[in-house]
Amino acid sequence: MDFRQLALAATMVVSVVGGVGVAHADSGLIAIITPSHDNPFFKAEAEGAQARAKELGYDTIVMVHDDDANKQMELFDAAIGRHAKAIILDNAGADATLTAVQKAKDAGIPSFLIDREINATGVAVSQIVSNNYQGATLGGQEFVRLMAEKGTYVELVGKESDTNAGIRSSGFHDIIDQYPDLKLVARQSADWSQPTAFQKMETILQANPDIKGVISGNDTMAMGAWAALKAAGKTSVILVGFDGSNDVRDSIKEGGIKATVLQPAYREAQLAVEQADKYLKTGTTGVAEKQLMDCILINSQNAAKLDTFALK
Amino acid sequence: MSLSLRLPPNLPHPALTTPGARGSPAIRLLRRRLFPGLLVLALISLPACKLVRNAPASSADNHGASSEAVNQGFNAAGYVAGIWDQQLLPYVAAQAVPATTVLAALRDNADAAGKAYGHRANDSTPWNFVVRGDGVITAANTASRAATIDVALLPSTSPPAALPAADLRIQIGPVIAGTAVRDAADFIKFGSVTNQLEFAQVSRAINDRIRDQTLKDFPRDNLVGRKVSFRGMFTAPASGTLPVIAPLSLGIMEATP
Amino acid sequence: MVMQARGVMPKRGGNVSIKMLLLNLRTFIALLAVVVFFSATVPGFLSEANLIIMSKHVALNAFLAIGMTFVIITGGIDLSVGSIVGLSGMVAGALILNGLDLGPVGYTIYFSVPEIIAITIVLGAILGIFNGLLITRLKVAPFIATLGTLYIARGAAMLSSDGGTFPNLIGKAELGNTGFPTLGTATVLGLPLSIWILIVVGLGAAYLAAKTPLGRQIYAVGGNERAAALSGVRVDRIKLFVYMFSGLCAAIVGLIIASQLVAAHPATGETFELNAIAAAVLGGTSMSGGRGTIGGTVVGAFVIGVLSDGLVMMGVSSFWQMVIKGVVIIAAVVVDQFQRELQRRAALQQQ
């Protein structure tokens, strides 16, 4: 084998592709790890954290784990390899995340959790948790009010393997099930996805053409369901979502979808960065590890004030 | 790395080294050596496993999937039963502020009122208040399962009239909404339970107990005009709406006039 | 194979032979290129700790890709490996946390960790055999048979916990089933256990492919199934073996992931099969069967793994990461086609 030739070729490849370098600032790097940005909610979260970190003089690296705990572990390895100063994390599972956060802690990197919590304390420095359950009860109460406490309804559930799908569903049911005149006629998972929700809604409408309401575990599914209801000419059906996305806000303003629940994602992300900054500078955040952030009901009265997961 | 230098084969049909063999030698090997070997291994390791008698069905085991929708490990009703008489009721008795004081302070400056009389876990959650008071029922909504009575406080803070305007609303169930009681009780902390689901179950169990104990004997007919005495919690209301109280004691003070 | 490859190379026309050499080593060169690129752009990329961590990440895909390589060499495909990864983790998790309930007897067996590992691996192999039986006995096309198994195994994984996670798989001393996390966290001579297992499995598979009759027969089945059958190869058994091996590799990955996370989640392993196929193809395995090497596949897995880890460390958007990965895979196949054309011409010239 001609290693001279090989070496030459390798050098050529390197000289073509190896010209770029990554600049790095002095105050350190903050790793921001969230689920995939194809959901605007997580994108807003990542952008909120990134913007605040830049303001405070940090470099940022934004990574997504696609709700795969194994990939999340790999991203933690990458963050440790890059000697990040802190990790801002919207995690991929209350139990499966524990090892990754512990690993970062052992490597001297503090983690600040947003949106979802983990089932342990003392491992992460902060857990700023979206109170999904409280939000779901808000949505449930509004749904009950809109339905006038009676009628048939359909529930669209998120991805069954996702903790929040279960939490939101039980929040809805804790309220709705106290009203015996509200009858659940179909309950289907639509995997948090707009096209899946559209298809499932169309099918459900075939079997139950006279439903009065639909309650959805998130806004993307609500948008899919709304498209199906609109196509079937059933725009009087009461539809309530969850998340507070701009799409659903616009639909509420037009009188389509009736209500949604806002999780203050942008604010949570910024708060986490602020706490990380304080922790890095003083060694303490000054607040309890677990902090519950309440959700806010969005309906026609306050929809106009909603923008990118924050009330203006 | 020595592996990686091996070149890919270039012949489409590699020669067979044992063209006439009946059956793959590897599979023969598998049959002759591996399976008996595994059997022996299994026999050797059998003492290493443990037989455990199944627990009776009633005692929920806390192994199993932590499918958060079915949280088996935590008994919220038991926890609430444990704190109800020992901690919660004494706390309410000790902490309750006259409702007239709190409502007046809220009208002046909500934030100052919260700092003076309220409770909350962190800056991003609303204030919760523990109040007591007497009042006259001005309206009752018992058609809803989330039934309420509207109450004008005594001495009335509104100008006297036949029926004064309501100052607050009290939930009389059977559906009790909100988390005011849990959030106003400082000793119930989010950090002391595993997750938001268990924290929510605590609130739900409190509300259930309000329904089953506090409101068990509360009448539901001919309420308007009667005088009530109450103690309870509420979460700071949005401006322009009545505070909605979850009662921890509620009683009719006199017969219908 | 090395000898045969050289034999085809023309002695004259040194220009062609250099081109051929570069083409033959293209995967290795690609690996070199990505490593050099990232060590120039990402601080700390070449540190020993990072190299070990990357190898650990690559190992998972490499296991699957090794199993997949054998399957593809026989002219088949195994889409079920990702789901088997998920199901294996769940089975191990369930056995550790809940044991095996004997039902009416009123007792539950708790196995020790080595037994659980053995049971899980055997289960992976059984699922592979199930694929193989569908393909050989019922004549279902491999794509469809393993697609069916993909759904069955994923559904079973979800059912095993109702979609939930089996948390905290540390076992209990009184049940004698502690020690599961060792598999994912232990290191021997500074290298994680999973890399040692990969070295053993990889060397074993490479030996099997290159030196044993079974290996030659696998190539023969993929090269020309009918010719192989006529020359006495028991084609069905060979196929059964490759799918079994693929399932077994998937079970190993499921165990390692569950052990590393100390938790088992039923969605683990989604789309892993595609990464495994990509690694095999990148390593020079031909999708039409009969051609491919374990060494090439392992290097292919390293190219993909180093590329994705490097892009992550650079902070490249995940959407761009997908685009880049796709471009690399397509480029690999294009070069592969180019090489074969060149070889064909060289062979003609020689004649």
Side-chain angles (χ1 to χ4, degrees):
Chain A
M1 267 176 268
D2 195 336
F3 278 104
R4 240 183 14 196
Q5 299 281 353
L6 182 65
L8 192 71
T11 330
M12 269 165 55
V13 175
V14 172
S15 60
V16 173
V17 294
V20 206
V22 175
H24 43 134
D26 291 320
S27 39
L29 179 76
I30 288 186
I32 300 159
I33 306 178
T34 68
S36 175
H37 295 181
D38 57 9
N39 182 334
F41 179 84
F42 300 119
K43 192 167 185 192
E45 216 171 59
E47 280 169 356
Q50 200 175 14
R52 194 79 187 102
K54 290 236 164 84
E55 281 165 27
L56 293 169
Y58 293 93
D59 258 342
T60 57
I61 178 168
V62 175
M63 307 190 270
V64 301
H65 56 58
D66 294 327
D67 286 304
D68 175 348
N70 182 49
K71 188 166 179 200
Q72 175 178 268
M73 181 70 117
E74 297 184 0
L75 299 178
F76 265 73
D77 286 337
I80 294 168
R82 286 285 305 272
H83 302 294
K85 285 274 187 295
I87 295 173
I88 309 292
L89 169 73
D90 188 344
N91 74 69
D95 294 304
T97 301
L98 208 56
T99 325
V101 176
Q102 181 67 49
K103 196 171 179 187
K105 189 186 179 190
D106 294 344
I109 303 174
S111 300
F112 300 80
L113 272 55
I114 50 175
D115 186 26
R116 310 170 186 177
E117 62 197 305
I118 52 175
N119 285 342
T121 51
V123 187
V125 175
S126 286
Q127 297 191 45
I128 304 170
V129 182
S130 286
N131 200 341
N132 272 276
Y133 190 90
Q134 170 264 355
T137 55
L138 277 184
Q141 279 162 19
E142 180 73 358
F143 186 69
V144 167
R145 192 184 67 79
L146 289 163
M147 296 282 285
E149 303 189 7
K150 60 174 180 290
T152 54
Y153 74 99
V154 170
E155 185 190 0
L156 292 176
V157 193
K159 207 169 195 165
E160 304 266 26
S161 56
D162 188 329
T163 316
N164 270 338
I167 290 184
R168 289 180 191 178
S169 181
S170 54
F172 288 151
H173 282 286
D174 252 16
I175 298 298
I176 297 172
D177 292 354
Q178 299 185 62
Y179 297 86
D181 292 337
L182 281 169
K183 296 220 162 34
L184 180 67
V185 292
R187 181 178 189 269
Q188 281 285 322
S189 167
D191 288 345
W192 302 128
S193 139
Q194 196 159 341
T196 313
F198 178 80
Q199 288 178 0
K200 297 250 164 145
M201 198 66 234
E202 282 194 318
T203 315
I204 291 169
L205 278 176
Q206 291 304 311
N208 309 281
D210 299 323
I211 52 165
K212 185 174 169 194
V214 178
I215 193 155
S216 163
N218 81 344
D219 275 355
T220 42
M221 293 193 297
M223 288 305 290
W226 184 245
L229 289 167
K230 227 164 147 180
K234 295 187 188 299
T235 48
S236 62
V237 171
I238 292 155
L239 178 53
V240 171
F242 199 115
D243 274 350
S245 75
N246 287 354
D247 295 339
V248 167
R249 172 201 64 194
D250 295 342
S251 180
I252 292 174
K253 284 203 282 194
E254 290 163 12
I257 294 173
K258 292 295 179 292
T260 184
V261 179
L262 167 70
Q263 300 190 69
Y266 199 83
R267 178 70 200 123
E268 267 173 29
Q270 297 209 313
L271 198 61
V273 174
E274 285 158 20
Q275 292 185 2
D277 182 54
K278 190 167 177 207
Y279 181 84
L280 291 174
K281 283 176 179 150
T282 67
T284 171
T285 60
V287 289
E289 178 191 335
K290 292 197 93 170
Q291 306 151 49
L292 206 51
M293 299 280 281
D294 277 353
C295 301
I296 302 155
L297 181 73
I298 303 292
N299 55 20
S300 53
Q301 282 157 24
N302 58 359
K305 286 192 278 182
L306 177 67
D307 188 35
T308 328
F309 301 99
L311 272 182
K312 297 279 178 260
Chain B
M1 274 315 159
S2 65
L3 261 180
S4 56
L5 282 169
R6 183 177 299 283
L7 301 180
N10 293 298
L11 285 181
H13 316 303
L16 300 172
T17 46
T18 53
R22 294 293 301 160
S24 146
I27 285 173
R28 278 213 305 273
L29 184 82
L30 218 63
R31 199 185 291 150
R32 253 204 328 245
R33 301 261 175 78
L34 205 55
F35 288 154
L38 277 176
L39 202 70
V40 170
L41 203 72
L43 281 176
I44 291 173
S45 62
L46 211 57
C49 53
K50 279 242 160 60
L51 267 181
V52 176
R53 185 185 267 283
N54 286 352
S58 58
S59 78
D61 66 320
N62 50 6
H63 306 305
S66 78
S67 173
E68 272 84 351
V70 251
N71 221 311
Q72 302 161 314
F74 181 66
N75 177 1
Y79 168 75
V80 170
I83 58 166
W84 193 262
D85 289 323
Q86 265 92 44
Q87 279 185 280
L88 189 60
L89 295 183
Y91 177 85
V92 174
Q95 295 280 327
V97 180
T100 44
T101 315
V102 174
L103 291 189
L106 270 174
R107 269 193 294 271
D108 278 357
N109 180 336
D111 218 44
K115 286 202 177 85
Y117 307 110
H119 309 265
R120 67 177 177 184
N122 60 55
D123 294 352
S124 47
T125 51
W127 290 104
N128 296 281
F129 301 90
V130 190
V131 291
R132 61 182 154 84
D134 305 326
V136 173
I137 300 174
T138 61
N141 169 17
T142 48
S144 167
R145 282 181 60 78
T148 54
I149 49 174
D150 289 0
V151 172
L153 290 170
L154 294 173
S156 175
T157 54
S158 345
L163 269 181
D167 294 303
L168 47 83
R169 183 167 284 171
I170 300 177
Q171 307 189 55
I172 57 168
V175 177
I176 304 289
T179 56
V181 176
R182 180 197 68 192
D183 294 344
D186 288 337
F187 58 90
I188 305 174
K189 286 190 173 31
F190 178 41
S192 59
V193 294
T194 309
N195 53 38
Q196 58 177 296
L197 218 86
E198 291 186 5
F199 198 49
Q201 283 167 353
V202 170
S203 177
R204 179 68 197 275
I206 291 173
N207 290 354
D208 285 351
R209 211 173 165 88
I210 291 174
R211 179 192 65 207
D212 297 337
Q213 291 208 342
T214 315
L215 296 168
K216 191 175 58 171
D217 300 321
F218 192 78
R220 308 189 70 83
D221 302 311
N222 303 321
L223 287 167
V224 177
R226 295 168 99 179
K227 211 174 142 197
V228 289
S229 172
F230 64 88
R231 253 187 279 191
M233 278 69 156
F234 72 93
T235 303
S239 62
T241 59
L242 288 181
V244 179
I245 292 180
L248 280 169
S249 85
L250 180 66
I252 303 281
M253 289 170 72
E254 57 189 35
T256 331
Chain C
M1 292 325 284
V2 177
M3 294 317 290
Q4 287 160 359
R6 283 209 185 131
V8 183
M9 278 185 211
K11 295 281 173 271
R12 62 197 171 75
N15 196 15
V16 180
S17 96
I18 291 166
K19 258 197 231 163
M20 289 288 285
L21 180 64
L22 287 179
L23 283 171
N24 276 328
L25 290 176
R26 66 189 178 280
T27 327
F28 195 62
I29 293 170
L31 178 61
L32 212 65
V34 286
V35 168
V36 171
F37 174 72
F38 286 123
S39 41
T41 53
V42 180
F45 185 80
L46 269 189
S47 72
E48 193 191 327
N50 191 49
L51 288 180
I52 289 177
I53 279 169
M54 277 197 302
S55 310
K56 220 169 93 182
H57 298 170
V58 170
L60 299 176
N61 189 24
F63 278 118
L64 299 179
I66 288 171
M68 188 68 76
T69 303
F70 281 131
V71 173
I72 295 180
I73 288 175
T74 65
I77 191 94
D78 188 352
L79 299 180
S80 65
V81 291
S83 296
I84 297 178
V85 167
L87 182 58
S88 313
M90 294 309 280
V91 166
L95 287 177
I96 289 174
L97 285 185
N98 302 337
L100 184 67
D101 195 337
L102 293 179
V105 188
Y107 279 93
T108 301
I109 302 184
Y110 286 90
F111 297 101
S112 67
V113 166
E115 287 168 342
I116 287 170
I117 290 173
I119 291 170
T120 310
I121 287 178
V122 168
L123 179 97
I126 289 174
L127 282 167
I129 291 174
F130 175 71
N131 277 331
L133 288 176
L134 284 178
I135 291 160
T136 55
R137 293 290 148 84
L138 302 178
K139 307 291 175 210
V140 184
F143 192 97
I144 302 300
T146 56
L147 184 67
T149 311
L150 178 155
Y151 286 122
I152 294 170
R154 181 68 66 204
M158 293 283 179
L159 282 172
S160 68
S161 68
D162 236 356
T165 304
F166 285 127
N168 212 11
L169 304 178
I170 48 174
K172 284 189 175 162
E174 70 263 30
L175 297 175
N177 61 0
T178 52
F180 184 61
T182 313
L183 179 64
T185 53
T187 57
V188 179
L189 302 176
L191 281 186
L193 199 56
S194 60
I195 296 182
W196 286 111
I197 302 174
L198 175 67
I199 291 173
V200 171
V201 172
L203 285 177
Y207 177 79
L208 188 141
K211 302 285 183 204
T212 65
L214 175 63
R216 311 320 308 147
Q217 290 172 358
I218 290 172
Y219 281 98
V221 167
N224 186 335
E225 192 173 321
R226 203 169 144 66
L230 287 175
S231 50
V233 177
R234 295 170 87 171
V235 173
D236 283 1
R237 289 200 172 188
I238 301 297
K239 285 190 178 172
L240 225 47
F241 171 80
V242 296
Y243 286 99
M244 182 198 79
F245 186 69
S246 179
L248 187 148
C249 288
I252 294 176
V253 174
L255 283 167
I256 292 175
I257 291 179
S259 166
Q260 280 173 352
L261 298 174
V262 203
H265 190 260
T268 302
E270 270 173 5
T271 72
F272 276 23
E273 59 278 357
L274 300 182
N275 281 330
I277 294 170
V281 169
L282 215 55
T285 309
S286 160
M287 289 299 286
S288 48
R291 208 165 57 100
T293 59
I294 299 304
T297 294
V298 172
V299 179
F302 267 91
V303 172
I304 290 183
V306 171
L307 191 69
S308 55
D309 270 19
L311 290 173
V312 163
M313 289 183 84
M314 265 179 89
V316 174
S317 136
S318 66
F319 301 150
W320 274 112
Q321 290 179 32
M322 292 185 207
V323 172
I324 293 169
K325 207 156 125 185
V327 168
V328 168
I329 290 167
I330 292 176
V333 180
V334 169
V335 174
D336 190 52
Q337 293 298 333
F338 181 61
Q339 179 208 17
R340 281 210 268 179
E341 180 61 20
L342 210 66
Q343 258 167 20
R344 200 180 57 79
R345 252 188 267 158
L348 279 177
Q349 260 178 26
Q350 219 172 22
Q351 287 169 4

